[in-house]
Amino acid sequence: MRTLNVALGDRAYPIHIGRGLLAAPSLILPFLRTPRVVIVTNDVVGPLYLEGLQVALTGHGVRVDAVALPDGERHKDWQTLNLIFDKLLAERCERSTTLIALGGGVVGDMAGFAAATYQRGMPFIQIPTTLLSQVDSSVGGKTAINHPLGKNMIGAFYQPRLVLADISTLDTLPDRELKAGLAEVIKYGLIRDPALFEWLESNIERLLARDPDALTFAVERSCTNKAEVVAADETEQGERALLNLGHTFGHAIETGMGYGNWLHGEAVAAGTMMAAELSRRLGWISAEDVARIEVLHRRAGLPVQGPVLPVATYLDLMAHDKKVEAGRLRLVLLRAIGRAVIHGDAPPEAIAAAIEARCE
Amino acid sequence: MRTLNVALGDRAYPIHIGRGLLAAPSLILPFLRTPRVVIVTNDVVGPLYLEGLQVALTGHGVRVDAVALPDGERHKDWQTLNLIFDKLLAERCERSTTLIALGGGVVGDMAGFAAATYQRGMPFIQIPTTLLSQVDSSVGGKTAINHPLGKNMIGAFYQPRLVLADISTLDTLPDRELKAGLAEVIKYGLIRDPALFEWLESNIERLLARDPDALTFAVERSCTNKAEVVAADETEQGERALLNLGHTFGHAIETGMGYGNWLHGEAVAAGTMMAAELSRRLGWISAEDVARIEVLHRRAGLPVQGPVLPVATYLDLMAHDKKVEAGRLRLVLLRAIGRAVIHGDAPPEAIAAAIEARCE
């Protein structure tokens, strides 16, 4: 097992990464304020891992309740969030009860938002079971639900007390979701870790074959990058926005196509290609760089083009982005492979042309 | 105009108290991050004060949008909260847009929670227009909505950047709401300010007659008490819980009777009498003290008995209280008029008997 630290002062917390961690309740017990937890999972992950975790914790005298949400991004809404609150209140959970998210990004985002707001805040633990949530969404305290007009529009910054990334859970992850998670790993390479990008160019097939050492390396290296950025800029006043490479375009794809039809990672991949294309049109990176980025995404089994939506629809959806300031779209673009910047002055025609060039 | 300060470090903020403040946009302008606000009000307060505020701000180049919620505690729920999010998204508000609450406690609690969670946090200003919100709920950053199983169960600690208590707005406040607000003023006297309690004994009729000087004094003295407590214990780890005198009983009344049938202040008044009765049964205060507290509440036109609900129903509803710890109800009780304590060891029979004695 490897352990990283998210350095946030009195809210610092560890990320444990390794195989078989779910069977080691001793990793969780020190972080419970009282011997009482509620596990939030979904109807796909629950049947695989819930009982084992429940038995392990119960064996140590912890009272465990659980709630299984319907699976998928389309359920990341008020109605589903209320299932968590209903359970917490029906079981008379106190504000000292610990909420545990057992699942992917949707479960983590919703459980985290519930923990942030139930009785104005209860302790929270992330146990991510997808590659995407292990490398990205479980770390850093962003929680949210979607609104019909925009993804992740309603949420809170709320840090977990512990992240437990059990690599073994990736054994059961569907191929499509494994690939989607790779999009966020590639992202770290592109924005700040050129050595990781090169490592991916050499090892992408090992990841697709679920080589445990390669997966562990990818998760650890991604979390290291994420933890550094979050520690420096918890509430996204500056540098943290770079983690959203491809996300402004990507969120437009997810919202525009209906939540869940494109996986988040797939939308980020296509969005990253749009950002790369725009960076090239601004003269910042070469056509060769764009090709290199495209090849890696293709090898990872990820889309390199967005869906065919009118460019006006893309722009309209992007105008809801959280990085918009004084009506101006601020985009994460590339100065090089391994170096991203925030840019608020891309000409609208160039943005439109980049989208156009990257719609199938 | 008088100005108090809530000393919360880099999140400190002023409370301005006086007459005619709504007509002075210069008090608001320095707190806007961009020249753009959304005013949340309700369908009772809006027709009275919205247009004036809108015109005043627009005259200074501020873009103003507004949303009017249905009035009343029964609407303090997800559905109504979503009206705010719908407006913010439809108008493409950014996370730098300022949300202004113009109304009573329900408007302030909901607008505050919306501000805390829209795009994970936007600037927020409180303009309370009821006595209850001016003396209590607008200060201190508690925001929340209700759940069918418990009042204020879903929320956040989120401080405003400014509180503007315009005493003139009390001119239009219905008598019943004026009286309800007095319950929270009496509360400060009981928990930590015996001189205020005595002042109220001498001046309660002036307040009921809406004497401007008396109202200004009551608001300022209440806010001074509130600001001191909040500065010492923002997230209610200790002392702040004392502000909930009468509230555990009171929330049970509000939830048990259906939100809005008892005003919050009315329920707090009856709950405070239950807490006083229990304190007497524990031998902490005298029957004379209880009588003195009762007389002041009666003179303020407030109920001194709770509604007739089975005691078991009271206890069941109280078990959802946010102060419950390890299954144990922690109550705010009185050691004297002017001194409250948190107590977790009241015998269940004594609690039941105190409720019984104070149900009509």
Side-chain angles (χ1 to χ4, degrees):
Chain A
M1 182 179 87
R2 307 295 296 266
T3 299
L4 305 172
N5 181 49
V6 184
L8 286 169
D10 56 358
R11 288 170 298 111
Y13 55 93
I15 308 168
H16 296 316
I17 302 165
R19 291 190 66 86
L21 305 190
L22 265 180
S26 60
L27 295 174
I28 296 174
L29 296 171
F31 293 91
L32 305 184
R33 200 186 296 168
T34 59
R36 184 149 187 215
V37 306
V38 173
I39 301 172
V40 178
T41 186
N42 68 32
D43 52 21
V44 171
V45 174
L48 296 169
Y49 300 112
L50 177 59
E51 196 185 339
L53 182 59
Q54 263 179 319
V55 168
L57 288 169
T58 306
H60 285 77
V62 177
R63 172 174 167 187
V64 180
D65 292 292
V67 53
L69 310 177
D71 180 40
E73 186 80 31
R74 78 189 69 234
H75 298 291
K76 196 171 141 181
D77 56 18
W78 283 132
Q79 286 72 29
T80 309
L81 183 71
N82 263 318
L83 297 178
I84 305 177
F85 294 131
D86 291 347
K87 184 71 178 181
L88 291 172
L89 279 157
E91 301 295 343
R92 303 191 171 220
C93 293
E94 304 172 3
R95 60 184 174 193
S96 58
T97 301
T98 298
L99 201 67
I100 297 180
L102 175 70
V106 171
V107 164
D109 281 9
M110 288 212 288
F113 188 48
T117 57
Y118 180 68
Q119 299 203 3
R120 301 195 185 96
M122 66 193 298
F124 177 51
I125 289 175
Q126 286 271 20
I127 305 185
T129 62
T130 64
L131 184 60
L132 189 131
S133 56
Q134 291 186 354
V135 300
D136 186 20
S137 62
S138 69
V139 174
K142 278 196 180 177
T143 72
I145 57 171
N146 299 329
H147 183 282
L149 289 177
K151 191 170 147 79
N152 291 339
M153 276 294 148
I154 299 155
F157 287 100
Y158 195 71
Q159 299 294 342
R161 301 180 154 225
L162 166 69
V163 178
L164 208 65
D166 185 342
I167 304 291
S168 325
T169 60
L170 303 182
D171 296 347
T172 54
L173 192 66
D175 272 335
R176 185 179 168 194
E177 294 207 35
L178 183 78
K179 292 170 186 168
L182 291 174
E184 299 280 11
V185 183
I186 295 172
K187 175 193 78 178
Y188 293 111
L190 285 171
I191 63 171
R192 70 194 305 270
D193 192 347
L196 172 59
F197 190 87
E198 287 170 24
W199 182 88
L200 288 166
E201 290 184 313
S202 304
N203 291 278
I204 196 81
E205 282 77 17
R206 284 176 68 205
L207 291 170
L208 290 167
R210 303 181 196 230
D211 175 297
D213 293 339
L215 284 171
T216 303
F217 175 84
V219 172
E220 187 184 343
R221 184 76 169 230
S222 297
C223 286
T224 301
N225 276 291
K226 180 87 182 245
E228 285 174 8
V229 173
V230 168
D233 178 23
E234 182 181 6
T235 57
E236 197 166 308
Q237 306 302 307
E239 181 188 359
R240 182 165 183 169
L242 298 180
L243 295 174
N244 290 320
L245 175 67
H247 283 59
T248 300
F249 299 101
H251 286 171
I253 293 171
E254 290 184 80
T255 306
M257 297 300 286
Y259 296 127
N261 291 310
W262 277 59
L263 293 181
H264 176 63
E266 293 166 347
V268 166
T272 296
M273 291 314 306
M274 291 175 180
E277 176 67 26
L278 178 54
S279 305
R280 184 190 67 76
R281 284 168 187 264
L282 296 175
W284 294 358
I285 62 173
S286 66
E288 290 69 32
D289 289 330
V290 176
R292 200 176 147 198
I293 299 166
E294 177 170 338
V295 166
L296 183 58
H297 279 95
R298 283 190 189 278
R299 287 172 60 202
L302 286 162
V304 294
Q305 300 274 126
V308 182
L309 291 170
V311 171
T313 302
Y314 271 97
L315 294 173
D316 195 51
L317 290 163
M318 289 164 69
H320 283 299
D321 190 76
K322 291 190 283 297
K323 287 185 296 303
V324 169
E325 223 175 72
R328 226 173 50 183
L329 200 53
R330 293 161 68 245
L331 290 168
V332 184
L333 299 176
L334 294 172
R335 281 288 186 178
I337 288 177
R339 190 156 74 86
V341 293
I342 290 274
H343 190 62
D345 285 323
E349 320 79 62
I351 299 174
I355 294 168
E356 187 97 50
R358 285 284 165 181
C359 286
E360 293 185 78
Chain B
M1 183 180 87
R2 306 296 296 266
T3 299
L4 304 172
N5 179 50
V6 184
L8 287 168
D10 57 357
R11 288 169 299 113
Y13 54 93
I15 307 169
H16 296 316
I17 301 165
R19 291 190 67 86
L21 306 190
L22 265 180
S26 60
L27 295 174
I28 295 174
L29 296 170
F31 293 91
L32 305 184
R33 200 186 297 169
T34 59
R36 184 151 186 211
V37 307
V38 173
I39 300 171
V40 178
T41 186
N42 69 33
D43 50 22
V44 171
V45 174
L48 296 169
Y49 300 111
L50 178 59
E51 195 185 339
L53 182 58
Q54 264 179 319
V55 167
L57 288 169
T58 306
H60 285 77
V62 177
R63 172 174 167 186
V64 181
D65 292 293
V67 53
L69 310 178
D71 180 41
E73 187 79 31
R74 77 192 69 233
H75 298 292
K76 196 171 140 180
D77 57 18
W78 282 132
Q79 286 72 27
T80 309
L81 184 70
N82 263 318
L83 297 177
I84 305 177
F85 294 131
D86 290 346
K87 184 71 177 179
L88 291 171
L89 279 156
E91 301 294 343
R92 305 192 169 217
C93 294
E94 303 171 6
R95 59 185 175 193
S96 58
T97 301
T98 298
L99 202 66
I100 297 179
L102 176 70
V106 172
V107 164
D109 282 8
M110 288 212 286
F113 189 46
T117 57
Y118 181 68
Q119 299 203 5
R120 300 194 184 96
M122 67 194 298
F124 177 51
I125 289 175
Q126 286 270 20
I127 305 184
T129 62
T130 64
L131 183 61
L132 189 131
S133 57
Q134 291 186 354
V135 300
D136 186 19
S137 63
S138 70
V139 175
K142 279 196 180 177
T143 72
I145 57 171
N146 299 328
H147 183 281
L149 290 177
K151 191 171 149 76
N152 292 339
M153 276 294 148
I154 299 155
F157 287 100
Y158 194 72
Q159 301 293 341
R161 302 180 153 225
L162 166 69
V163 178
L164 208 65
D166 185 342
I167 304 292
S168 325
T169 61
L170 303 183
D171 295 348
T172 54
L173 192 66
D175 272 334
R176 185 179 168 195
E177 294 207 36
L178 183 77
K179 292 170 185 167
L182 291 174
E184 299 281 11
V185 183
I186 295 172
K187 175 192 79 177
Y188 293 112
L190 285 170
I191 63 170
R192 70 194 305 272
D193 192 346
L196 173 59
F197 191 86
E198 286 170 24
W199 181 88
L200 286 167
E201 291 184 312
S202 304
N203 292 278
I204 196 80
E205 282 77 17
R206 285 176 68 206
L207 291 170
L208 289 167
R210 304 182 194 228
D211 175 297
D213 292 339
L215 285 171
T216 302
F217 175 84
V219 172
E220 187 183 342
R221 184 76 168 229
S222 298
C223 286
T224 300
N225 276 292
K226 180 88 182 246
E228 285 174 9
V229 173
V230 168
D233 177 23
E234 181 180 6
T235 58
E236 198 167 308
Q237 306 302 307
E239 181 188 359
R240 183 165 183 169
L242 299 180
L243 295 174
N244 290 319
L245 174 67
H247 283 60
T248 300
F249 299 101
H251 286 171
I253 293 171
E254 290 184 81
T255 307
M257 297 300 286
Y259 296 125
N261 291 310
W262 277 58
L263 293 181
H264 175 63
E266 294 167 346
V268 166
T272 295
M273 290 315 305
M274 290 174 180
E277 176 66 28
L278 178 53
S279 305
R280 183 190 68 76
R281 283 166 188 265
L282 296 175
W284 294 358
I285 63 173
S286 65
E288 290 68 33
D289 288 330
V290 176
R292 201 176 146 197
I293 298 167
E294 177 169 337
V295 166
L296 183 58
H297 279 95
R298 282 190 189 278
R299 287 172 61 203
L302 286 163
V304 294
Q305 300 274 126
V308 182
L309 290 171
V311 171
T313 302
Y314 272 97
L315 294 174
D316 194 51
L317 290 163
M318 288 164 69
H320 283 301
D321 190 76
K322 291 191 283 295
K323 286 184 296 303
V324 169
E325 222 174 73
R328 227 173 51 184
L329 201 52
R330 293 162 67 246
L331 291 167
V332 185
L333 299 177
L334 293 174
R335 282 287 186 179
I337 289 177
R339 190 157 73 85
V341 293
I342 289 274
H343 189 62
D345 285 323
E349 320 79 63
I351 299 174
I355 294 169
E356 187 98 50
R358 284 286 166 181
C359 284
E360 293 186 77

